[in-house]
Amino acid sequence: AVVSTQSTGDAGEDVGMQLISAGEGGPKIPIILKALQQHDSNQEVVEAMCELMCTMSEQDNLAEELASYPLVFTLLQSAISEFPRIEEITERASMAIESLRAVRDV
């Protein structure tokens, strides 16, 4: 059995780096954003998106890339508007927006 000593934060950063790397087919973020936009009324999808955006916004190098896509802010604000009573969504979306604005406005 293989035991991973990698922390969850490190794993999240690795996944994030794969999303922004311009490998085969270019960066994956625009593709993911379009898919999320198509499912922005699905609570489970929106919860997962907010978790992903919140996690990525905590990593400086990922946050800079993420903040460069205006659609990210639109999706996060839409999540808050669409699900104002779902605390998990509103908190994570608000945290991501705040972190990404701080990076963008530097």
Side-chain angles (χ1 to χ4, degrees):
V2 176
V3 177
S4 175
T5 58
Q6 198 173 38
S7 74
T8 305
D10 290 344
E13 186 172 0
D14 288 347
V15 170
M17 290 304 294
Q18 290 173 4
L19 291 175
I20 66 172
S21 67
E24 189 175 319
K28 309 299 184 268
I29 290 177
I31 296 166
I32 291 168
L33 293 177
K34 281 218 180 280
L36 291 170
Q37 191 174 27
Q38 292 175 354
H39 300 283
D40 65 353
S41 61
N42 180 315
Q43 182 179 334
E44 289 182 30
V45 172
V46 173
E47 284 178 14
M49 176 203 62
C50 290
E51 179 67 32
L52 174 66
M53 298 301 167
C54 193
T55 300
M56 289 179 70
S57 70
E58 292 171 350
Q59 308 293 326
D60 291 340
N61 54 339
L62 300 177
E64 287 179 36
E65 180 69 21
L66 204 56
S68 71
Y69 295 95
L71 184 54
V72 169
F73 294 96
T74 302
L75 288 170
L76 290 168
Q77 290 166 342
S78 174
I80 294 168
S81 298
E82 183 77 22
F83 301 100
R85 292 186 177 96
I86 309 295
E87 194 172 312
E88 183 175 300
I89 290 174
T90 59
E91 283 183 5
R92 288 201 167 85
S94 296
M95 287 174 27
I97 289 169
E98 184 178 324
S99 295
L100 294 172
R101 280 188 179 149
V103 169
R104 186 186 63 186
D105 296 339
V106 168

